[in-house]
Amino acid sequence: MSAHRSGRAQNPRTDVYDVAVVGAGIVGAALARELSGHELTVALLEARADVGDGTSKANTAILHTGFDAEPGTLESRLVARGYHLLSAYAEATGIPVERTGALLVAWDREELGALPRLKEKAEANGYEHCRLVDADEVYRAVPALGEGALGGLTVPDESVICTWTTNLALATDARRRGAELLLRHAVTGVRRDDGHTTLITTAGDVRARWVVNAAGLGADHIDRLFGHDRFTVTPRRGELFVFDKLARPLVDTIVLPVPTSRGKGVLIAPTVYGNVMLGPTAEDLTDRTDTATSESGHDFLLGKGERLMPRLLAEEITASYAGLRAAIDHGDYLVEATPEQRYLLVGGIRSTGLSAGLAIAEHARGVLAGAGLPLRARDRLPDPPRMPNLGEAAERPYQNAGLIARDPAYGTIVCFCERVTEGEVRDACHAPVPARDLDGLRRRTRAMNGRCQGFFCGAAVEALRARHHADDGCDRADGRDED
């Protein structure tokens, strides 16, 4: 079977990959996709049982223009470039994007005074579409805002996107290009052998000539296994509220806080799924697995919501969740090669990594080439995958009469809150990067993400998953996919 069809590299497991990418979040998947476009054998290693199950799955899902990045940094350049790359990629693959625009709202004199400087910063970053507006225009744009807004700054090209589909599309694309996906492969040690590196993992050794560290929250640990001590990751917990779809008419644009000396603050944003989001908090932790919500976080968000948009708090909260961001003690992205080790660090990628991911991969490819990795572009590549639509702005399967006529499974709804059909669950279980558990199904279909949070549909969805999962070979101990 060809690497294109199976998504497996041509070499057996006992051989040496040309490149091993550690971490299958958005950045790691983008790197594997980029490198698989060349005459290379590539392995994508992930400690968890699914792609995008770490920092990439729980963020504010905003496609940033990079208007407020620090000018002159690598981050500012790659976010601006990544915005255009991901916009085009989303159109090609069907990743849901809504061009909502954003409005920064000033609530006091310090914030109002910061707006002109933010406009200048945007222009220094090459973004020239921001506009200063007065309080009247702020309330015309978002009538439901609380009292006391003094002015604002528009950012018309900010957008909301589906981060789950983005990660899955990149991993699927990498696999179609021949990369091998190795799940449940947590790296616990590194051994330098003659001409290659052996990654010691919880599922066995993986050997590669080059290693790319895109491990997110664990990137500093991997870096130290290679003998470096360049940075420390601090897990920063961000808690968010998700409001019911009935709240969506209140918020048609992203309402951003004005960064000041007190921090970045809390935003209100629509989602591509038709909800409204409030958050995040920002709490530095020591436990890199602590994604629990907290009473203090809830109280903080309720207080912010009461100030920003009191009418929003009258709506029902569908869910609350927390994600961890990889904060580091460094002011910029760290993309640094150690040629003598044939090792590349891609660390310190904050939440902007969603927007910058494709540009980070592009930049990293150039750094690897400069460090000595032979790169020869493949003559022919498979077309980008066309992803299932999870967004409310485009037609969903349950609305498509022609599709239902051809396959009635798309007319059989199993999750009524989110209008998810049996056909979508089936497809997610048999996709090139399939759902292996209920959380994986949530991210691929929206099942159990609505008002009832799976209380009504959970058993039926699990029964469907078990039926389609039983004999497809995707639950092997080593996490390698079978077709």
Side-chain angles (χ1 to χ4, degrees), residues 27 31 74 77-78 210-214 219 222-223 226-231 328-349 360 363-372:
V27 173
L31 282 157
L74 179 62
R77 178 163 63 85
L78 296 185
W210 290 78
V211 175
V212 178
N213 173 7
I222 302 296
D223 202 45
F226 279 86
H228 303 284
D229 190 15
R230 288 180 271 198
F231 68 109
I328 69 166
D329 49 352
H330 193 276
D332 200 358
Y333 290 171
L334 290 172
V335 183
E336 299 179 2
T338 310
E340 62 272 20
Q341 294 180 305
R342 295 184 178 178
Y343 166 67
L344 177 70
L345 166 66
V346 183
I349 311 299
I360 292 169
H363 175 73
R365 180 199 65 201
V367 174
L368 284 167

Side-chain angles (χ1 to χ4, degrees), residues 252-321:
D252 277 337
T253 190
I254 304 163
V255 180
L256 293 173
V258 178
T260 68
S261 58
R262 299 187 302 275
K264 282 200 169 183
V266 169
L267 61 83
I268 299 174
T271 75
V272 294
Y273 319 116
N275 302 95
V276 173
M277 184 168 53
L278 171 69
T281 61
E283 180 186 4
D284 288 348
L285 306 175
T286 56
D287 184 351
R288 302 188 188 206
T289 65
D290 187 357
T291 57
T293 56
S294 66
E295 183 177 355
S296 61
H298 284 201
D299 289 343
F300 176 81
L301 291 178
L302 289 172
K304 284 291 185 180
E306 184 65 35
R307 169 74 188 279
L308 295 172
M309 189 174 288
R311 289 172 58 188
L312 182 61
L313 297 189
E315 302 293 336
E316 293 187 12
I317 295 174
T318 295
S320 63
Y321 68 91

